Amino acid sequence: MNIRRPISTATLAGVSVLGLLALSACSPSGGARTEDGKLRVTASFYPMEFLARQIGGKHVEVTDLTKPGVEPHDLELTPKQTAQLGESGAVVYLKGLQPAVDAAVEQSGAQHVADAAALTSLEEHGTEVDGHHHTTGDNHSHSESEGGKDPHVWLDPVKYAEVAKGVNKTLAKADPKHKADYQKNTDALVEKLDGLNTEFKNGLKKRSSDTFLTTHAAFGYLAERYGLTEEAISGLDPESEPSAKRIRDLHTLAEEHHVSTVFFETIANPATAKALAGDLHLKTDVLDPLEGINAKSRGKDYFGVQRANLAALQKALGSK
């Protein structure tokens, strides 16, 4: 008589790990390294890809899960992409921004993972401050990550530099042989980000207004860093119309704070911003949340687009 013993979870875990190891061993395209020995790094979306490339340099091959022009928050992963995560030498992502990626990273068992949300402090942007409602934007839950925290840390060069230092540590652990090069690349990147921070500080020092209007509340950290107030067209997805009350409030706000411009972004539909600007007799311009780079981006990389953002803010805020 056969007695069937319950299989312990530890045994199961061991079996599935062995299965994964066997799979990655037989799959010629897989593995933590390329044929020429580069570390395979999977990044979740553009700001993470940029860090991985800048820090990894010639020692890494980076794959971005989010293709250019795709709204990162809406990303769905293919089974192939999910498998790729598990086989990566390192993963660079931002927990709380892309639910599909969060779930896949958790399941992947990837050993060397840099989570940008854990590498710098996250804050809530969406509270009453000084009697102003700082909104966290549209109806998409993506405006805030877990616990109402705002994930858009990369738009603040100081926070982005903190994330860069954490990514450096992860790459060095995954590939200790090139630790010195990763450190050198990180130092150079952090220096450039410090320079960008100084450009923003100096560029926005003398201005006639502190308040800017956006369709997507992505700029909370940037606003906070340089003493600005971001007002997003609240409670909206980019396709819907603002309520009559919100339009009235924005009228008052625009007059009180000498607002000249309504900002929209490159990936989302500009209809709401343009309609609102028409109602308020304001100009429109682009403020890019830098979630991806495409042909319409005002710059070829993070630094190019951030400088375009600075120029747009200077113009809108009447910088002298």
Side-chain angles (χ1 to χ4, degrees), residues 161-232:
E162 288 173 5
V163 175
K165 291 172 186 171
V167 171
N168 171 37
K169 285 187 183 138
T170 298
L171 293 188
K173 272 188 195 140
D175 181 21
K177 199 166 80 176
H178 297 115
K179 188 177 177 174
D181 281 356
Y182 296 145
Q183 188 62 55
K184 199 174 83 190
N185 294 345
T186 303
D187 293 344
L189 177 60
V190 166
E191 198 174 310
K192 280 175 78 175
L193 288 166
D194 287 348
L196 183 66
N197 176 42
T198 304
E199 281 176 51
F200 266 91
K201 248 196 305 215
N202 294 341
L204 295 169
K205 212 172 255 173
K206 296 191 173 89
R207 54 184 188 246
S208 50
S209 175
D210 291 335
T211 304
F212 62 99
L213 291 185
T214 62
T215 46
H216 179 183
F219 300 92
Y221 292 106
L222 187 138
E224 204 170 289
R225 176 73 54 201
Y226 305 112
L228 307 175
T229 300
E230 173 191 48
E231 285 283 350

Side-chain angles (χ1 to χ4, degrees), residues 42 70 79 109 137 229 245:
T42 303
V70 171
T229 300
K245 182 186 184 305

Side-chain angles (χ1 to χ4, degrees), residues 3-294:
I3 298 171
R4 293 183 65 178
R5 290 210 179 106
I7 298 174
S8 76
T9 44
T11 314
L12 271 177
V15 170
S16 59
V17 167
L18 286 170
L20 277 175
L21 288 173
L23 269 176
S24 52
C26 351
S27 115
S29 63
R33 291 186 182 275
T34 60
E35 278 172 23
D36 55 356
K38 288 182 178 179
L39 183 72
R40 283 186 206 271
V41 181
T42 303
S44 55
F45 73 129
Y46 177 74
M48 302 299 111
E49 177 202 347
F50 185 71
L51 289 182
R53 286 187 196 285
Q54 293 288 307
I55 295 166
K58 62 182 184 196
H59 303 305
V60 299
E61 184 187 88
V62 183
T63 306
D64 191 342
L65 294 173
T66 310
K67 297 289 162 272
V70 171
E71 233 294 335
H73 310 291
D74 303 336
L75 181 71
E76 298 294 335
L77 296 180
T78 64
K80 188 182 168 192
Q81 286 177 309
T82 307
Q84 187 187 326
L85 268 172
E87 293 178 359
S88 302
V91 176
V92 185
Y93 84 122
L94 201 170
K95 189 175 183 184
L97 188 87
Q98 298 170 285
V101 175
D102 294 355
V105 170
E106 217 159 276
Q107 288 161 19
S108 73
Q111 214 182 338
H112 299 290
V113 178
D115 166 18
L119 299 172
T120 182
S121 57
L122 296 196
E123 291 157 29
E124 288 183 36
H125 295 131
T127 47
E128 294 284 338
V129 182
D130 311 327
H132 293 298
H133 184 66
H134 296 247
T135 60
T136 31
D138 46 39
N139 286 337
H140 299 307
S141 58
H142 71 239
S143 297
E144 301 172 63
S145 67
E146 290 168 31
K149 298 280 196 273
D150 176 359
H152 300 88
V153 287
W154 65 92
L155 288 159
D156 170 357
V158 179
K159 285 194 168 295
Y160 199 43
E162 288 173 5
V163 175
K165 291 172 186 171
V167 171
N168 171 37
K169 285 187 183 138
T170 298
L171 293 188
K173 272 188 195 140
D175 181 21
K177 199 166 80 176
H178 297 115
K179 188 177 177 174
D181 281 356
Y182 296 145
Q183 188 62 55
K184 199 174 83 190
N185 294 345
T186 303
D187 293 344
L189 177 60
V190 166
E191 198 174 310
K192 280 175 78 175
L193 288 166
D194 287 348
L196 183 66
N197 176 42
T198 304
E199 281 176 51
F200 266 91
K201 248 196 305 215
N202 294 341
L204 295 169
K205 212 172 255 173
K206 296 191 173 89
R207 54 184 188 246
S208 50
S209 175
D210 291 335
T211 304
F212 62 99
L213 291 185
T214 62
T215 46
H216 179 183
F219 300 92
Y221 292 106
L222 187 138
E224 204 170 289
R225 176 73 54 201
Y226 305 112
L228 307 175
T229 300
E230 173 191 48
E231 285 283 350
I233 303 164
S234 86
L236 292 182
D237 67 45
E239 307 300 317
S240 70
E241 296 295 314
S243 69
K245 182 186 184 305
R246 183 61 178 160
I247 293 277
R248 283 197 304 276
D249 289 350
L250 290 171
H251 262 285
T252 312
L253 193 122
E255 277 168 28
E256 277 178 10
H257 295 282
H258 313 291
V259 172
S260 67
T261 310
V262 179
F263 286 114
F264 60 95
E265 55 185 90
T266 37
I267 295 177
N269 181 346
T272 301
K274 288 188 168 166
L276 182 71
D279 285 340
L280 301 180
H281 309 294
L282 301 175
K283 295 187 284 252
T284 55
D285 201 354
V286 170
L287 205 56
D288 193 326
L290 253 162
E291 294 179 348
I293 295 266
N294 60 19

